[in-house]
Amino acid sequence: MFDLNTWFTKATKGNVIMTYQGEITAELITNVLSSLEDRLEQTNEDSKVKKKVYNVLVESLQNLYHHIDEAPSDINLDKNFAIFVVSRYGEGYKINTGNFVRRSRVKMIKDRLDQINYLNKEELKSLYKMILNNEEFSPKGGGGLGMIDIARKSGNKLEYEFINYNQEYSFFSLSVLIAD
Amino acid sequence: MEPILIEGTPKTPTITFNAESGKLEIKGRSIPENSIEFYKPMVDWLEEYGKSPSDKTEVNIQLEYFNTSSSKCILDVFKKLESISKSEKSQVTINWYYEEDDEDMLEAGEDYQSILHIPFKMIEIND
């Protein structure tokens, strides 16, 4: 059985730079990005890595913003509830996001992530260009380009988990590692 | 034709489109949630500009960040420029600027270059 606090405790075990639990709005994204930038500015981190972390956070948060499901009604949470944690991880950075998804969507998301993880760098580039050039975008977003972009920028496999919450919902946990 | 001048914000780039000089510039960050809405005026402007463009059209793209939602809109801008270039009414060049160590931005430019039939110049910026 999924427990939010247990997940959060585990996700924030490391060297946490920033964390948030609540509704994902456009204003929140603006503020979070600006504060991440300030925090990274204070480090002497390579600008290449800084940009990757920033980019991956933009796509992660905007993915949540556009595609999030309403949280289950039996826990008292904001409508567009999500959690994210940015932490240092070894020589790199880790971005963790967590949100509730309807179980009917799990297979679709899982298949998509597995497909992305199966592809190598060149194949991801081709897939990205194919979707960019051929598919109609909805006003909501990039037709699935976000996850591909995250995978390309991070250069690592997307680690994910779906944890059963109840008959209707699962909790989707995604972890992206960014290292030079 | 009226130029487009839009000041940049933390999520949207500075836009300077001038029909008289044929100089078009997109500079800064492009990470809005609603990119289609933001880019619509530029796409419409190019549609109009394409009817009687300047002999030479120089497009300078200098982006620090752009999100995937902007990537399609930027492609739409480029596709308009491509058709102007194909019509032979204007000689179109795209200058894609990227910072010295920003391989991702260079690669993004190369992605566009490979999709489009239009002269692209990759220009490295050294701090």
Side-chain angles (χ1 to χ4, degrees), chain B:
Chain B
M1 203 184 158
E2 284 291 309
I4 300 186
L5 302 163
I6 301 172
E7 280 284 327
T9 72
K11 276 186 174 170
T12 54
T14 299
I15 307 282
T16 325
F17 281 15
N18 189 314
E20 216 171 300
S21 65
K23 275 204 169 191
L24 280 51
E25 191 170 78
I26 302 180
K27 193 175 176 179
R29 296 173 176 203
S30 185
I31 52 167
E33 280 78 26
N34 52 353
S35 306
I36 295 178
E37 196 183 308
F38 178 77
Y39 280 95
K40 191 175 184 301
M42 277 65 90
V43 174
D44 292 347
W45 189 95
L46 284 169
E47 179 72 42
E48 195 57 36
Y49 173 74
K51 292 176 187 165
S52 57
S54 167
D55 293 346
K56 282 187 180 175
T57 304
E58 185 192 303
V59 187
N60 293 306
I61 311 286
Q62 191 174 340
L63 290 168
E64 195 184 355
Y65 296 109
F66 69 95
N67 60 1
T68 51
S69 143
S70 298
S71 64
K72 175 75 178 178
C73 299
I74 294 169
L75 182 63
D76 288 343
V77 166
F78 286 156
K79 289 224 162 140
K80 286 276 175 236
L81 290 161
E82 185 180 46
S83 66
I84 296 169
S85 171
K86 274 186 186 156
S87 74
E88 293 179 355
K89 287 181 192 162
S90 181
Q91 196 187 328
V92 183
T93 325
I94 295 175
N95 298 316
W96 182 272
Y97 291 86
Y98 65 98
E99 277 178 43
E100 197 179 1
D101 57 353
D102 195 349
E103 290 158 18
D104 289 332
M105 195 53 79
L106 170 62
E107 207 174 335
E110 289 169 350
D111 287 351
Y112 283 120
Q113 187 177 28
S114 72
I115 291 173
L116 298 151
H117 302 277
I118 190 168
F120 249 81
K121 243 189 257 170
M122 302 295 167
I123 302 171
E124 188 180 291
I125 312 163
N126 300 298
D127 291 328

Side-chain angles (χ1 to χ4, degrees), chain A residues 1-179:
Chain A
M1 174 68 185
F2 174 72
D3 179 68
L4 204 57
N5 290 325
T6 313
W7 186 89
F8 190 70
T9 310
K10 207 177 130 196
T12 50
K13 248 190 208 158
N15 186 353
V16 174
I17 296 175
M18 67 197 297
T19 169
Y20 174 83
Q21 297 194 49
E23 195 181 352
I24 305 293
T25 63
E27 294 70 32
L28 171 91
I29 296 175
T30 311
N31 296 336
V32 163
L33 291 173
S34 135
S35 98
L36 176 78
E37 210 170 16
D38 292 344
R39 298 296 290 273
L40 291 174
E41 210 48 58
Q42 289 162 20
T43 66
N44 48 11
E45 188 59 74
D46 197 46
S47 79
K48 197 166 101 185
V49 176
K50 279 184 196 165
K51 280 189 175 161
K52 281 182 186 288
V53 174
Y54 188 92
N55 266 312
V56 170
L57 193 64
V58 170
E59 292 302 328
S60 305
L61 297 183
Q62 291 185 338
N63 237 344
L64 292 170
Y65 175 83
H66 289 299
H67 302 294
I68 209 161
D69 283 338
E70 248 174 67
S73 54
D74 60 346
I75 32 178
N76 190 21
L77 296 171
D78 292 319
K79 202 168 143 248
N80 293 321
F81 176 87
I83 305 184
F84 64 83
V85 181
V86 182
S87 39
R88 292 265 3 196
Y89 191 82
E91 293 294 296
Y93 293 82
K94 201 159 95 172
I95 295 176
N96 259 16
T97 58
N99 60 291
F100 288 98
V101 294
R102 289 190 177 273
R103 287 177 70 169
S104 56
R105 285 180 62 215
V106 169
K107 189 177 182 302
M108 189 264 292
I109 302 170
K110 193 176 174 303
D111 287 351
R112 184 125 215 169
L113 293 171
D114 287 344
Q115 182 201 20
I116 291 171
N117 279 341
Y118 181 75
L119 301 177
N120 65 31
K121 194 171 178 285
E122 281 309 307
E123 291 164 335
L124 279 174
K125 187 183 173 80
S126 303
L127 179 64
Y128 181 94
K129 287 199 294 191
M130 193 191 78
I131 296 175
L132 177 66
N133 199 22
N134 294 315
E135 282 183 24
E136 280 301 313
F137 281 25
S138 72
K140 274 188 145 190
L145 278 184
M147 281 293 176
I148 302 170
D149 190 57
I150 289 172
R152 286 182 79 189
K153 299 257 159 70
S154 85
N156 287 297
K157 300 293 173 198
L158 308 169
E159 281 178 44
Y160 70 86
E161 200 181 353
F162 289 94
I163 311 156
N164 284 342
Y165 177 72
N166 61 20
Q167 285 209 307
E168 214 185 331
Y169 284 95
S170 283
F171 189 79
F172 171 36
S173 163
L174 178 71
S175 170
V176 183
L177 177 66
I178 302 130

